[in-house]
C-alpha cells in the first residue's frame, strides 16, 4: 500500500493506493483522485513550469510552461532544452516556444505577454 497526497486540487486528500489490487485508491474525495493515484504509481506525469531568456523586454526572463503533462522522468531533459531558448519580444501568452518538446507531443508555451 502506497500513501500519497493528491495534488489535483487544493483539498489535498490523503490517498492510499493498493499496488496489489489493480491500484485501487481509497481516501479520495472525488474520482480525479483515483485517476491521479493510479497514474502516479504507473506513469507519473507533471506540467513543467520554468522561465527562458528574452531579449527586448522590460524583464530578462519570460515564464513558460508545458501545455500538457509530460512524463516525470523527462523533466530534466526538458529543462535542458529550455536553457537553449532565447525569445525576442514581443511575445504573447500562449505562443509556442518549443513545439513537441523532446518528442513528448506537448508544446512549451509562453505563460505571459511581454
Ligand atoms: S481526490 Fe479530488 S477532492 Fe481530493 S484532492 Fe484530489 S481532486 Fe481534490
Amino acid at each position: 500500500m502506497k500513501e500519497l497526497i493528491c495534488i489535483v486540487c487544493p483539498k489535498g486528500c490523503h490517498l492510499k493506493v493498493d499496488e496489489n489490487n489493480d491500484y485501487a485508491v481509497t481516501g479520495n474525495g472525488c474520482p480525479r483522485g483515483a485517476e491521479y493515484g493510479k497514474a502516479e504509481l504507473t506513469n507519473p506525469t507533471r506540467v513543467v513550469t520554468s522561465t527562458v531568456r528574452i531579449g527586448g523586454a522590460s524583464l530578462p526572463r519570460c515564464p513558460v510552461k508545458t501545455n500538457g503533462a509530460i512524463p516525470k522522468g523527462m523533466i530534466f531533459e526538458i529543462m535542458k532544452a529550455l536553457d537553449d531558448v532565447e525569445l525576442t519580444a514581443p511575445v504573447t501568452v500562449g505562443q509556442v516556444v518549443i513545439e513537441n518538446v523532446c518528442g513528448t507531443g506537448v508544446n512549451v508555451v509562453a505563460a505571459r505577454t511581454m
Side-chain angles (χ1 to χ4, degrees), residues 11 28 37 55 57 61-62 64 67-68 74 78 81 85 89 96 101-102 109-110:
K11 194 173 172 190
N28 51 309
R61 298 191 72 86
C62 176
V64 297
N67 66 354
M74 293 193 70
I78 289 170
V85 174
V96 174
V101 63
C102 301
V109 298

Side-chain angles (χ1 to χ4, degrees), residues 1-54:
M1 191 74 79
K2 181 94 176 173
E3 296 192 15
L4 302 170
I5 293 180
C6 181
I7 60 170
V8 177
C9 90
K11 194 173 172 190
C13 293
H14 289 247
L15 309 178
K16 288 187 178 170
V17 186
D18 187 350
E19 306 100 313
N20 301 319
N21 183 22
D22 194 27
Y23 301 96
V25 177
T26 52
N28 51 309
C30 79
R32 290 185 300 163
E35 275 175 43
Y36 169 77
K38 183 172 183 176
E40 189 63 8
L41 265 68
T42 55
N43 178 30
T45 60
R46 291 290 183 275
V47 170
V48 173
T49 59
S50 185
T51 62
V52 297
R53 288 188 301 276
I54 184 168

